[in-house]
Amino acid sequence: MRLLHLSDIHGRVDLERILRAFNELKADIIVISGDSESSSLLRDLAGRTRVFYVSGNMDSISVVETARELGMLLDGEVLDVEGILLAGIGRREEHDLNRIRKEVKGDWILVSHYPPLDTKADIASSGRHVGSRIIRNAINELKPKACLCGHIHESPAIFRLNDTVVVNPGPAFMGRAAIIDTENWEADFTRI
């Protein structure tokens, strides 16, 4: 399966731009790791392809409710997509982790808005590491095949944390994205 991974859209990327990249990259699904800030974009995407979403710190309650109504919200959920589990940790990190902890097994992907602490994906412009200890601990404990995150615009990164491929594509509103291939668990940056 091929996943187009976006984060930090911030209401500034149009539907056609995303769909063009989705089709050109021959992706199977879209995974958005928070901060869409647009209920209408989520509705439009849901009408055209399979999309999975976790809430970000800038998403309003109405965006989160729209994602829930459309069946794409991963916050505290574990969904089987073509034999691979997608599990989400949104804004309520500890609550969501407790909900998914007993359900994840085998080949699974952790989707979070926040990157794991003390990694290449969580370095703020100040030079400080500002990621999530909860996400870091979840990776260490539950060993997902991949962790798709965002939030820290200035730290796009693809690297391995133990055996987990961590991907922060950087902000979609700046044209950044990533493609993940679950056949060999490799990831690469791309543009939208």
Side-chain angles (χ1 to χ4, degrees), residues 7 33 36 38 50 66-67 72 76 86 91 139 146 164 186:
S7 187
S33 55
S36 159
S38 173
R50 293 185 298 165
T66 297
M72 66 174 62
L86 295 180
R91 294 184 292 191
I139 291 170
T164 300
E186 291 183 0

mmCIF file of all heavy atoms in Angstrom, residues 7 33 36 38 50 66-67 72 76 86 91 139 146 164 186:
data_model
loop_
_atom_site.group_PDB
_atom_site.id
_atom_site.type_symbol
_atom_site.label_atom_id
_atom_site.label_comp_id
_atom_site.label_asym_id
_atom_site.label_seq_id
_atom_site.Cartn_x
_atom_site.Cartn_y
_atom_site.Cartn_z
ATOM 1 N N SER A 7 0.584 16.942 6.458
ATOM 2 C CA SER A 7 0.378 17.516 7.783
ATOM 3 C C SER A 7 0.383 19.025 7.645
ATOM 4 O O SER A 7 0.952 19.568 6.690
ATOM 5 C CB SER A 7 1.489 17.073 8.737
ATOM 6 O OG SER A 7 1.201 17.500 10.058
ATOM 7 N N SER A 33 -1.877 14.156 9.292
ATOM 8 C CA SER A 33 -1.536 14.159 10.716
ATOM 9 C C SER A 33 -1.757 15.542 11.331
ATOM 10 O O SER A 33 -0.856 16.141 11.889
ATOM 11 C CB SER A 33 -0.111 13.643 10.940
ATOM 12 O OG SER A 33 0.817 14.367 10.187
ATOM 13 N N SER A 36 -5.496 20.501 9.648
ATOM 14 C CA SER A 36 -6.139 20.806 8.370
ATOM 15 C C SER A 36 -6.761 22.195 8.432
ATOM 16 O O SER A 36 -6.644 22.977 7.511
ATOM 17 C CB SER A 36 -7.234 19.774 8.067
ATOM 18 O OG SER A 36 -8.151 20.302 7.137
ATOM 19 N N SER A 38 -9.749 22.903 8.024
ATOM 20 C CA SER A 38 -10.770 23.085 6.992
ATOM 21 C C SER A 38 -11.708 21.885 6.930
ATOM 22 O O SER A 38 -11.345 20.837 6.397
ATOM 23 C CB SER A 38 -10.112 23.301 5.628
ATOM 24 O OG SER A 38 -11.087 23.320 4.614
ATOM 25 N N ARG A 50 -9.960 7.656 -0.073
ATOM 26 C CA ARG A 50 -9.940 7.267 1.343
ATOM 27 C C ARG A 50 -8.940 8.150 2.091
ATOM 28 O O ARG A 50 -7.781 8.252 1.695
ATOM 29 C CB ARG A 50 -9.567 5.805 1.492
ATOM 30 C CG ARG A 50 -10.656 4.888 0.924
ATOM 31 C CD ARG A 50 -10.360 3.441 1.170
ATOM 32 N NE ARG A 50 -9.110 3.083 0.501
ATOM 33 C CZ ARG A 50 -8.419 1.987 0.729
ATOM 34 N NH1 ARG A 50 -8.837 1.112 1.615
ATOM 35 N NH2 ARG A 50 -7.306 1.727 0.076
ATOM 36 N N THR A 66 -16.314 17.043 12.038
ATOM 37 C CA THR A 66 -16.472 16.708 10.611
ATOM 38 C C THR A 66 -15.706 15.439 10.278
ATOM 39 O O THR A 66 -16.239 14.537 9.621
ATOM 40 C CB THR A 66 -15.993 17.869 9.713
ATOM 41 O OG1 THR A 66 -16.812 19.021 9.964
ATOM 42 C CG2 THR A 66 -16.040 17.504 8.243
ATOM 43 N N ALA A 67 -14.465 15.343 10.746
ATOM 44 C CA ALA A 67 -13.657 14.140 10.501
ATOM 45 C C ALA A 67 -14.323 12.913 11.114
ATOM 46 O O ALA A 67 -14.354 11.837 10.506
ATOM 47 C CB ALA A 67 -12.246 14.327 11.057
ATOM 48 N N MET A 72 -13.323 9.313 9.189
ATOM 49 C CA MET A 72 -11.881 9.362 8.930
ATOM 50 C C MET A 72 -11.062 9.657 10.181
ATOM 51 O O MET A 72 -9.845 9.577 10.149
ATOM 52 C CB MET A 72 -11.560 10.394 7.843
ATOM 53 C CG MET A 72 -11.851 11.819 8.234
ATOM 54 S SD MET A 72 -11.304 13.064 7.025
ATOM 55 C CE MET A 72 -12.232 12.663 5.584
ATOM 56 N N GLY A 76 -7.633 8.006 18.961
ATOM 57 C CA GLY A 76 -7.998 6.920 19.856
ATOM 58 C C GLY A 76 -8.609 5.720 19.168
ATOM 59 O O GLY A 76 -9.180 4.851 19.824
ATOM 60 N N LEU A 86 -4.065 1.186 11.212
ATOM 61 C CA LEU A 86 -3.759 2.596 11.436
ATOM 62 C C LEU A 86 -4.314 2.948 12.804
ATOM 63 O O LEU A 86 -5.492 2.702 13.081
ATOM 64 C CB LEU A 86 -4.431 3.493 10.394
ATOM 65 C CG LEU A 86 -4.008 3.375 8.944
ATOM 66 C CD1 LEU A 86 -4.804 4.358 8.089
ATOM 67 C CD2 LEU A 86 -2.526 3.642 8.782
ATOM 68 N N ARG A 91 -5.030 15.096 19.894
ATOM 69 C CA ARG A 91 -4.715 16.098 20.916
ATOM 70 C C ARG A 91 -4.803 15.557 22.335
ATOM 71 O O ARG A 91 -4.135 16.056 23.231
ATOM 72 C CB ARG A 91 -5.652 17.297 20.776
ATOM 73 C CG ARG A 91 -5.418 18.043 19.493
ATOM 74 C CD ARG A 91 -6.266 19.252 19.403
ATOM 75 N NE ARG A 91 -7.680 18.901 19.271
ATOM 76 C CZ ARG A 91 -8.612 19.770 18.964
ATOM 77 N NH1 ARG A 91 -8.305 21.029 18.774
ATOM 78 N NH2 ARG A 91 -9.864 19.390 18.847
ATOM 79 N N ILE A 139 6.195 4.635 20.791
ATOM 80 C CA ILE A 139 7.042 3.969 19.788
ATOM 81 C C ILE A 139 7.913 2.912 20.463
ATOM 82 O O ILE A 139 8.015 1.779 19.982
ATOM 83 C CB ILE A 139 7.891 5.003 19.019
ATOM 84 C CG1 ILE A 139 6.991 5.863 18.123
ATOM 85 C CG2 ILE A 139 8.985 4.313 18.204
ATOM 86 C CD1 ILE A 139 7.688 7.057 17.511
ATOM 87 N N ALA A 146 5.688 2.322 11.423
ATOM 88 C CA ALA A 146 5.910 3.713 11.034
ATOM 89 C C ALA A 146 5.170 4.626 12.000
ATOM 90 O O ALA A 146 4.171 4.233 12.598
ATOM 91 C CB ALA A 146 5.427 3.957 9.606
ATOM 92 N N THR A 164 11.254 1.714 13.868
ATOM 93 C CA THR A 164 10.103 2.487 13.383
ATOM 94 C C THR A 164 10.565 3.592 12.443
ATOM 95 O O THR A 164 11.444 4.381 12.799
ATOM 96 C CB THR A 164 9.343 3.107 14.574
ATOM 97 O OG1 THR A 164 8.888 2.070 15.444
ATOM 98 C CG2 THR A 164 8.154 3.926 14.099
ATOM 99 N N GLU A 186 9.436 1.927 3.401
ATOM 100 C CA GLU A 186 10.324 3.030 3.032
ATOM 101 C C GLU A 186 9.493 4.276 2.814
ATOM 102 O O GLU A 186 8.317 4.213 2.459
ATOM 103 C CB GLU A 186 11.108 2.684 1.774
ATOM 104 C CG GLU A 186 12.126 1.592 2.017
ATOM 105 C CD GLU A 186 12.972 1.292 0.778
ATOM 106 O OE1 GLU A 186 12.759 1.931 -0.265
ATOM 107 O OE2 GLU A 186 13.820 0.403 0.881
#
